[in-house]
Amino acid sequence: MPPPPQSIAGKVGRFFSFAAARDRCFSRRFQAAGLRPVSIQLPDSAHPVSVQLPDSADPVTTVHMWVPARPPRNPLVLLHGFGASATWQWYPYLRPLIAAGFDPIVPDLVFFGNSTTRLPDRSDTFQARSIKTALEAIGVTKFGLVGVSYGGFVGYRMAAMYPDAVERVTLVCAGVCLEEKDLAEGLFPVAGVDEAAALLVPRRPEEVRRLVRLTFVRPPIIMPSCFLWDYIKVMGSDHIEEKTELLHALISGRQISTLPKLRQKTLIVWGEQDKVFPMELAHRLKRHLDGNSRLAVIHNAGHAVNLEKPTDVCKSIIEFFQEPIPEASNDERV
């Protein structure tokens, strides 16, 4: 990625970073809510496939997460999507969830935030295994799970791999039922995996603008380049190649016929105007789960429904995990 022109971003970034300041603000909100950051170095035994790695003092895989200061009684794991860090995506949910009796646990997926690995595996299976092993390391063996977008792909895989650990699942705009052929057939605003990676891992202000306009129903009217360069530097400049590989591993050759069906009750939450993962994928997922799910459609929201309508999404999550699950035919519109 070429450096931003000094006339645009240099003067702002040299003295003050709005994105870094906001990031610190969100971290303080997590701490004020009673969460603390921990970094867990996974043992080699967590990775069943033997891979020859160069000698290094660095751990093979590290998972960073925000956890309750006290042992959680009602743990709810929140998995973020692509874009800003986990704290940016989940800060509006902490206090409502805690007030409702939940203990939020917020990991950074591998190659996001402070989680990383030296292994070559980029699959959602690897992500799921890494998060599950990290949860075991802090003594969490049973939990509810919420995943947004890419986090929903990982959450779905966790639920399929560990049905005795994952008790219930909420998937927010997670197009797990997409197939690679859908891109070529025009279901999405991109026509191939490389274009999808360029969209979801933006490197220039114009790419950020395109992503924001696709994911929000009411995007900001003005998005100055200086602020976008600052955001890219703080939030989007790490592990670009690895994140692109994650998307290739997720989409290449994907077929719904190989997607396992979940045993857990599942809540599907979708922004009605989602342009990244259109509503067709929500209905496709509901059909795939054979009556074991319920769908909550959020009006006037797009793919970033978790940020556009956090109150509505959080309300749906709390009701789902607290109350008996209604019949699958009783879909909701919010």
Side-chain angles (χ1 to χ4, degrees):
M1 180 182 72
Q6 286 297 314
S7 60
I8 297 176
K11 294 180 180 179
V12 174
R14 189 181 306 160
F15 300 105
F16 181 77
S17 168
F18 291 96
R22 194 173 189 188
D23 191 50
R24 290 192 297 270
C25 177
F26 291 148
S27 294
R28 286 195 292 269
R29 290 193 183 191
F30 270 61
Q31 292 169 337
L35 277 69
R36 60 186 179 89
V38 298
S39 290
I40 300 164
Q41 297 181 8
L42 302 189
D44 291 346
S45 59
H47 308 294
V49 179
S50 177
V51 178
Q52 187 67 37
L53 295 171
D55 292 337
S56 173
D58 296 332
V60 174
T61 302
T62 298
V63 173
H64 176 273
M65 59 175 62
W66 289 86
V67 302
R70 298 179 179 179
R73 296 181 179 180
N74 192 12
L76 186 62
V77 177
L78 309 177
L79 299 180
H80 63 84
F82 268 71
S85 68
T87 53
W88 289 49
Q89 296 187 35
W90 289 116
Y91 78 89
Y93 294 78
L94 296 182
R95 293 197 178 278
L97 290 175
I98 292 170
F102 297 100
D103 296 305
I105 299 173
V106 186
D108 289 332
L109 296 173
V110 178
F111 295 123
F112 297 86
N114 293 317
S115 296
T116 188
T117 187
R118 293 193 289 128
L119 294 173
D121 195 340
R122 302 291 182 260
S123 66
D124 55 352
T125 298
F126 175 80
Q127 292 273 14
R129 185 187 306 120
S130 298
I131 299 300
K132 176 63 165 55
T133 304
L135 291 169
E136 290 176 349
I138 62 172
V140 174
T141 57
K142 289 184 178 293
F143 49 91
L145 191 151
V146 183
V148 171
S149 193
Y150 177 69
F153 284 81
V154 177
Y156 193 102
R157 186 63 61 184
M158 286 181 69
M161 292 171 63
Y162 308 108
D164 295 330
V166 181
E167 296 176 320
R168 289 184 182 180
V169 184
T170 294
L171 303 172
V172 182
C173 291
V176 296
C177 283
L178 72 84
E179 298 185 292
E180 184 179 8
K181 66 179 183 179
D182 291 329
L183 279 73
E185 292 176 357
L187 184 61
F188 306 110
V190 296
V193 182
D194 288 333
E195 191 179 349
L199 173 67
L200 295 174
V201 190
R203 306 184 189 197
R204 300 183 62 84
E206 57 268 27
E207 295 169 347
V208 178
R209 291 189 188 97
R210 183 191 180 201
L211 179 60
V212 171
R213 287 166 181 155
L214 276 173
T215 53
F216 286 82
V217 170
R218 295 183 178 87
I221 297 175
I222 299 175
M223 290 180 272
S225 292
C226 59
F227 295 111
L228 298 182
W229 276 120
D230 180 45
Y231 169 84
I232 292 169
K233 180 179 179 181
V234 174
M235 287 286 118
S237 60
D238 291 339
H239 303 299
I240 291 176
E241 180 179 349
E242 290 85 353
K243 289 174 182 175
T244 300
E245 292 169 354
L246 292 176
L247 289 170
H248 276 273
L250 193 70
I251 299 173
S252 297
R254 192 176 185 91
Q255 295 179 324
I256 194 172
S257 60
T258 63
L259 185 70
K261 297 185 178 183
L262 300 186
R263 288 168 29 189
Q264 301 92 332
K265 290 290 184 180
T266 302
L267 172 65
I268 304 166
V269 179
W270 224 270
E272 187 179 37
Q273 299 182 49
D274 191 337
K275 297 178 182 177
V276 176
F277 291 142
M279 278 294 306
E280 159 61 22
L281 292 180
H283 297 299
R284 191 185 292 182
L285 175 57
K286 192 169 184 296
R287 291 192 299 268
H288 182 72
L289 293 177
D290 286 340
N292 199 32
S293 65
R294 113 183 187 234
L295 172 62
V297 179
I298 310 296
H299 286 306
N300 300 316
H303 186 69
V305 62
N306 59 309
L307 298 177
E308 286 190 294
K309 295 294 184 81
T311 301
D312 294 336
V313 174
C314 195
K315 180 175 180 289
S316 294
I317 291 170
I318 290 172
E319 290 179 351
F320 173 71
F321 283 100
Q322 280 188 335
E323 300 175 2
I325 304 299
E327 293 297 323
S329 58
N330 296 335
D331 292 347
E332 302 176 2
R333 287 190 173 266
V334 181

